[in-house]
Amino acid sequence: MKLSYEQVIGERLRRQRLLAPIESPDDEPEYLELFKLLQPVAPVHNTRPGDPPRLVHRTLFDDDGLAGKLRERNAIIKGRFCGGRIGYVLQEDLERYAVAFRKPLAKAKPIHDDILTVLKTSGGLSKEQLKQELEGYPAGEISKALQALQEAFLVYEHQPDTDWDTGWFDFATEWFEINADGGRYAQAVSEVLHSFIQAMVFATEAHIKSWSQLPAKAIRQGIEALVEGGQIVTAEMEGIGEGFVYAKDAEGLVPSDIPPCVFMLDKSDFLVRAHMDELQRRYKGYEVLQFLLIDGTFQGAVLGHWRIGPHDVEDILVELPPDQAERRQEEILDAVRKIYSPERHNIVMYNGKPL
């Protein structure tokens, strides 16, 4: 089947709630439904590791508070997914995402066994307490080992709030043993890819690889299983090429007008991750702070050197025809200023021209 730009992009913007954001923090079921669709959901890029995950631009309210409450009561769980990146998934889906994204230890070392032994016998410790128990190991080596164990879903980091000194626990004791046999792994990967394609409306194999960071073989096998099972169908999108569509969407996507819209998205955003490999090629050599989604596609980047404190936006690169870039300058500047406020950030240039 062939799909038009208007069929795919319009529905993608609506489905991901960019065109119709969730209105109230009281709409928790609605928020959880969207969270489920876009999980694993990460904290905003270049914020504190302990910050809650965010559905940026997809709510009319600051969702820090709601996400924080969900995290506090373990409705959403922190882990390392999609190539070892920090993210949160619904507790009910933790097993699926843990199995699909776990990175088994390449080589078990004595420090891994020692950490697991201490955590099991103690019932859980903070990193500082763990350093005291394992005083023979350098602090950096302990941190590195904890990350590897976390990626393997052998330890669990409990992050109920923004405190830096979180609790570390044996994953199996806190949650469950990971069933890593080939059958369950293949099934979990297929289930994760199915959700991703539903969220994207149309996705290519390149989108899947960029977002998931899964091995190419696992992706191909997952896609084949979904096609054979009738859960997704192959399709072709104009200007993009061959990809896949959620089976329930195959006959139901209708062309629709896409209103002019500009969203600045950080490097942890779902849509950015799905296009990250392409975006890195396009903006190679640039120091990118965030990307610009203009009318549903990535057509620009916000450039500058990130610092913890106030810092300049050096340039806003816009890949639109010159007349459109000029006509939409204020609209695009407004989108950037929503995050980079004039009080803290000076925007130096727009499309290479001083402001």
Side-chain angles (χ1 to χ4, degrees), residues 20-293:
I22 298 171
E23 295 183 1
S24 168
D26 295 330
D27 294 331
E28 186 177 303
E30 204 172 353
Y31 186 84
L32 287 171
E33 182 181 355
L34 182 60
F35 198 102
K36 184 181 183 75
L37 184 69
L38 300 180
Q39 64 187 346
V41 181
V44 170
H45 188 69
N46 278 339
T47 55
R48 295 178 302 174
D51 281 357
R54 294 281 312 282
L55 294 175
V56 178
H57 298 307
R58 295 165 174 91
T59 65
L60 292 180
F61 55 92
D62 185 342
D63 64 330
D64 270 23
L66 178 53
K69 290 176 183 177
L70 293 170
R71 180 172 69 173
E72 189 176 353
R73 68 172 196 252
N74 282 338
I76 56 176
I77 305 298
K78 185 178 184 179
R80 288 188 177 271
F81 312 92
C82 299
R85 299 181 65 252
I86 288 291
Y88 290 77
V89 299
L90 300 185
Q91 184 186 138
E92 65 203 59
D93 296 325
L94 176 61
E95 187 271 344
R96 174 190 308 158
Y97 283 83
V99 171
F101 288 115
R102 68 185 290 271
K103 296 169 68 174
L105 293 174
K107 182 181 179 181
K109 299 178 181 179
I111 189 172
H112 297 140
D113 292 332
D114 290 345
I115 287 173
L116 288 172
T117 298
V118 169
L119 292 182
K120 287 176 182 177
T121 54
S122 66
L125 296 171
S126 71
K127 189 182 286 188
E128 288 304 313
Q129 291 171 326
L130 196 55
K131 289 175 184 177
Q132 293 171 15
E133 292 289 330
L134 301 172
E135 57 185 358
Y137 291 106
E141 194 174 340
I142 292 173
S143 295
K144 187 177 179 181
L146 279 173
Q147 179 171 331
L149 290 166
Q150 190 179 23
E151 290 177 355
F153 286 90
L154 293 172
V155 299
Y156 160 63
E157 182 185 9
H158 183 50
Q159 179 97 50
D161 51 37
T162 57
D163 194 338
W164 286 87
D165 202 13
T166 54
W168 291 86
F169 300 85
D170 174 62
F171 186 89
T173 303
E174 284 297 300
W175 298 109
F176 44 77
E177 292 277 357
I178 297 287
N179 174 8
D181 67 58
R184 178 57 191 136
Y185 172 70
Q187 183 185 18
V189 168
S190 291
E191 290 169 352
V192 165
L193 299 190
H194 189 229
S195 294
F196 173 76
I197 293 167
Q198 181 186 5
M200 286 289 287
V201 182
F202 168 90
T204 65
E205 200 165 322
H207 290 144
I208 296 169
K209 175 64 176 174
S210 179
W211 172 80
S212 72
Q213 297 296 300
L214 288 168
K217 182 180 179 181
I219 292 172
R220 285 195 301 271
Q221 290 176 341
I223 288 171
E224 288 170 5
L226 291 170
V227 171
E228 290 173 5
Q231 293 166 283
I232 63 173
V233 298
T234 57
E236 187 175 337
M237 180 180 167
E238 61 180 10
I240 302 295
E242 186 176 287
F244 308 93
V245 176
Y246 190 54
K248 292 181 180 178
D249 288 332
E251 303 301 329
L253 296 175
V254 295
S256 60
D257 292 333
I258 300 166
C261 54
V262 181
F263 301 99
M264 186 176 68
L265 301 177
D266 73 273
K267 295 177 184 179
S268 293
D269 188 87
F270 179 95
L271 279 173
V272 172
R273 300 310 306 179
H275 293 84
M276 183 57 87
D277 291 346
E278 171 204 342
L279 292 170
Q280 287 178 332
R281 289 191 295 269
R282 279 166 58 183
Y283 298 106
K284 186 177 181 180
Y286 291 101
E287 198 167 7
V288 176
L289 293 169
Q290 304 210 35
F291 296 98
L292 292 173
L293 189 78

Side-chain angles (χ1 to χ4, degrees), residues 282-340:
R282 279 166 58 183
Y283 298 106
K284 186 177 181 180
Y286 291 101
E287 198 167 7
V288 176
L289 293 169
Q290 304 210 35
F291 296 98
L292 292 173
L293 189 78
I294 302 175
D295 303 341
T297 58
F298 287 104
Q299 300 183 82
V302 179
L303 311 179
H305 182 69
W306 182 83
R307 296 178 181 85
I308 293 176
H311 53 275
D312 287 348
V313 171
E314 299 294 344
D315 199 357
I316 298 172
L317 183 63
V318 180
E319 297 183 68
L320 292 173
D323 60 328
Q324 290 188 36
E326 184 177 352
R327 176 167 49 84
R328 300 183 70 177
Q329 177 174 326
E330 283 307 312
E331 177 190 3
I332 292 168
L333 286 173
D334 285 346
V336 174
R337 287 175 180 140
K338 283 182 179 177
I339 303 299
Y340 296 108

